[in-house]
Amino acid sequence: TGAIGELVRSVGFFDVNVSLETDIDEGKKQAEVTFAISEGKQFVVKELIFLGTNRADIEPEYLLLNSMERTRLGKVYGGQHFLDLDAENIEKMYRERGYITTKVESAAALTDPADIKKYNGKGRRFLAENLSEKALKGGTVVIVIKIKQGKKIDIEIETVDVNGKIVRDRSEERRVG
């Protein structure tokens, strides 16, 4: 039941309950196994915390938040898979701005108040606004993303030489064969 519970939690159902029932037929030497799964409610993203982003001129708030395409403040948390995809988006956003060695070291969803408390006063924090009572009763999650921000690398390209069968014209591109 542990593996099934972990699978269901990975898609955002943190209060899943999995039970197991067996019905053994000694005469036929068979057993019927039934798993009962109660998903519970999906949690809402209450807060995003970014650690390792110490220069506001590099990553304005809207760039970080827009990188989070699937994990949004005030919306239902979709699970670790979607959080991992958003971590890839953050790395891409940094690379596009010249920080090609930046890595997201970890991206985690926290529900335990003791774990969340460890991050008090740390990182760049964004809170969901106007969460309904219904959302709060269903449960909330805090997302913590640790970023190892590399140095900016400026690359200046003076010329590009192309060899081969590709001919480029300003108005069209065609293959020469």
Side-chain angles (χ1 to χ4, degrees):
T1 61
I4 294 172
E6 285 304 310
L7 177 65
V8 176
R9 273 189 280 286
S10 75
V11 293
F13 294 94
F14 288 100
D15 57 353
V16 63
N17 186 12
V18 180
S19 61
L20 169 73
E21 294 180 19
T22 58
D23 184 20
I24 300 173
D25 184 337
E26 296 287 341
K28 293 182 179 179
K29 296 187 179 191
Q30 293 179 342
E32 183 177 304
V33 179
T34 304
F35 292 94
I37 302 170
S38 172
E39 296 171 335
K41 297 178 182 175
Q42 282 188 300
F43 287 26
V44 171
V45 178
K46 178 182 175 184
E47 184 175 11
L48 295 172
I49 302 172
F50 295 93
L51 302 171
T53 60
N54 52 10
R55 300 213 20 221
D57 61 318
I58 296 169
E59 65 285 325
E61 292 178 2
Y62 76 91
L63 290 176
L64 278 174
L65 295 177
N66 285 346
S67 295
M68 304 293 289
E69 292 178 1
R70 296 161 189 88
T71 309
R72 295 276 195 187
L73 284 169
K75 302 295 181 187
V76 171
Y77 173 65
Q80 188 64 42
H81 172 71
F82 291 122
L83 187 52
D84 291 341
L85 292 172
D86 286 338
E88 290 176 14
N89 287 344
I90 291 171
E91 289 178 351
K92 179 182 174 191
M93 182 267 298
Y94 271 93
R95 281 192 303 273
E96 288 171 351
R97 283 153 185 78
Y99 294 86
I100 58 175
T101 60
T102 295
K103 292 284 182 206
V104 172
E105 293 181 324
S106 64
L110 305 178
T111 58
D112 184 338
D115 290 337
I116 295 167
K117 189 175 182 178
K118 295 175 188 175
Y119 297 98
N120 282 352
K122 296 179 182 175
R124 295 182 68 192
R125 305 170 82 91
F126 304 95
L127 285 168
E129 297 177 359
N130 304 320
L131 287 179
S132 69
E133 287 296 320
K134 181 181 178 184
L136 293 172
K137 283 182 183 178
T140 59
V141 63
V142 173
I143 305 296
V144 177
I145 299 175
K146 295 179 185 176
I147 300 171
K148 183 176 181 184
Q149 182 178 301
K151 292 183 179 181
K152 186 171 185 175
I153 299 172
D154 291 317
I155 300 173
E156 187 175 314
I157 300 174
E158 292 183 18
T159 61
V160 176
D161 293 327
V162 178
N163 294 319
K165 296 181 178 181
I166 297 176
V167 176
R168 293 184 186 263
D169 188 348
R170 289 184 191 258
S171 62
E172 65 182 38
E173 182 174 310
R174 57 189 162 95
R175 281 211 165 283
V176 176

